[in-house]
Amino acid sequence: MILLRNPRTRYRRLGVAATAAGLLAALLTAGPAAATPDPGDRPAASEEVSKSTEAEVRAAIADGEIPGQDEIVHSDNIEHLVNIPKDALPGTNSDLAFQGGYAFSGNYDGFRIFDISNPKAPKTIAQVLCPGSQNDISVSGNLLFLSTDSSRSDSSCSSTTQPATEKSSWEGMKVFDISDKRNPKYVAAVETACGSHTHTLVPERRNVYLYVSSYSPSATYPDCQPPHDGISVIKVPRNAPEKAAVVSFPVLFPGEGPDGGGNPGSPTNPGVSKTTGCHDITVLPDKDLAAGACMGDGILFSIKDPENPKVIDRVQDNVNFAFWHSATFNQKANKVVFTDELGGGGAATCNAEIGPNRGADGIYDIVGKGDKRKLVFRSYFKIPRHQAAVEVCVAHNGSLIPVKGRDIMVQAWYQGGVSVWDFTDSARPKEIGYFERGPVTTERLTTAGSWSAYYYNGYIYSNDIAKGFDVLKLSDRRTDPARKVRLNELNVQTQPDYFD
């Protein structure tokens, strides 16, 4: 480990018909490999577009249909307070976690800690170099957890990339002591099958359980063998984190054969990812409930026994969902919003040709009681602001904005920016605010924009893949009551009871 000190709404007509039509065909017919989510361990590759596409994007900028290159636009109810550019960690910015007056920012090269006691002027207090895609991050008490989902030479922060076909390669969870926020200390590492793409905390008084999501096994990977049809559960004793260890591997998709019992994907379900694990899990500890976004499946499960979660219901959408990416409960725990990562976080999917239902959020009501609860589909939500063919746009990480009696959340959409939307009526969701930047370039399709956008103690914090850390202020009578809700800690995938 190395410690480093240091206003308009646009319903665009942009089509780029030939390019978009080709992309749509590829997305509809692609197998699981075409839906690999999130940039890899190396910097996200950009793809050169045709001269005609470049000319159309520039014309759209000139006509005012889309913002200019890097131009910031937002709705009247959102104010951009500050941007803190990347510093010592040049990699892809990823997830965020919060504790007291601090924000913890994941980055493919490590993590950064901000003092946000003054949200208008965040200060960097630590930057830790510890490469390992994608460095999904969370905190609990004096512990910080970091996911590694790239094959490394060892578990150290000075490791190098190494093929997953080599038995000595390492992937999994890293644990840091952050009792001194200015000087985090690496204290433990736990290897997990297929690494850790994301993880979710299930905190208890004496221990922290980590639900580790990972996927894409191969018979050629010694530590990631099929069927990979479950999650790794790690138990971390708070007073002895060095004793952290995997305590179970619950199978969530039982079935015969080498692939388990999840969604078979293509060719059975063209354009849908085969389920070989989970991408992300959100838990409601107060309700002993969890929702899993698992590639080709969405699941609801009980976590009464945290070491042995039990699936209650499972749903698929083989028409409009390509890759079940993440989940968010509403406050009453009678709804779940699932996101679809169409194009794997590397395609321009927010346009008229793809349409409003593919690459969207899926809103599901939870009906019934106990183990008989069911997920019932109600509607889709997708940002109404069409993006250009050079802008990677995808439904990504978001959180609730805690307002009693209403279901409102803020969500990241890569270069689609940050969207605030209301799903109080499950069948009629609507956007009520937005913030975004114009294209990074007009010459290439580039992965950039907001990876995570979360509401915490009165402000929206966004981790932009390329541009750094943004702080936004939302002023709207529909959301203003949320300012009274104060939390001591927030890991969005461990949803709190905001009003307890």
Side-chain angles (χ1 to χ4, degrees), residues 124-143:
T124 300
I125 62 170
Q127 297 186 72
V128 175
L129 178 63
C130 195
S133 162
Q134 56 186 13
N135 279 338
D136 190 51
I137 193 168
S138 60
V139 294
S140 182
N142 289 330
L143 299 178

Side-chain angles (χ1 to χ4, degrees), residues 454-493:
Y454 299 145
Y455 186 92
Y456 177 69
N457 291 353
Y459 296 87
I460 293 171
Y461 297 90
S462 169
N463 219 17
D464 189 290
I465 292 169
K467 298 298 182 180
F469 184 70
D470 288 303
V471 185
L472 311 176
K473 184 177 181 181
L474 174 64
S475 299
D476 190 295
R477 59 178 177 76
R478 293 164 290 192
T479 59
D480 287 347
R483 296 178 185 175
K484 298 177 182 179
V485 179
R486 312 296 291 184
L487 300 177
N488 293 322
E489 192 170 273
L490 178 63
N491 301 289
V492 169
Q493 285 72 39

Side-chain angles (χ1 to χ4, degrees), residues 306-375:
E307 293 187 18
N308 298 285
K310 177 184 177 182
V311 175
I312 297 172
D313 194 27
R314 167 185 164 196
V315 290
Q316 296 179 354
D317 180 346
N318 295 317
V319 175
N320 288 315
F321 260 49
F323 189 97
W324 296 66
H325 176 276
S326 55
T328 302
F329 287 100
N330 69 337
Q331 178 61 36
K332 291 183 179 180
N334 60 7
K335 299 177 188 177
V336 183
V337 174
F338 288 104
T339 68
D340 175 24
E341 194 178 45
L342 177 67
T349 66
C350 298
N351 52 52
E353 283 68 29
I354 299 297
N357 295 338
R358 289 184 59 78
D361 297 323
I363 304 167
Y364 287 75
D365 284 352
I366 302 173
V367 300
K369 296 182 179 180
D371 290 349
K372 294 184 178 181
R373 283 172 286 191
K374 297 292 183 182
L375 293 165

Side-chain angles (χ1 to χ4, degrees), residues 6 44 150 164 172 228 246 254 288 332 380 392 405 415 442 451:
N6 277 324
S150 60
H228 184 70
V246 175
D288 291 328
K332 291 183 179 180
Y380 298 106
V392 170
Q415 288 188 80
T442 61
W451 176 293

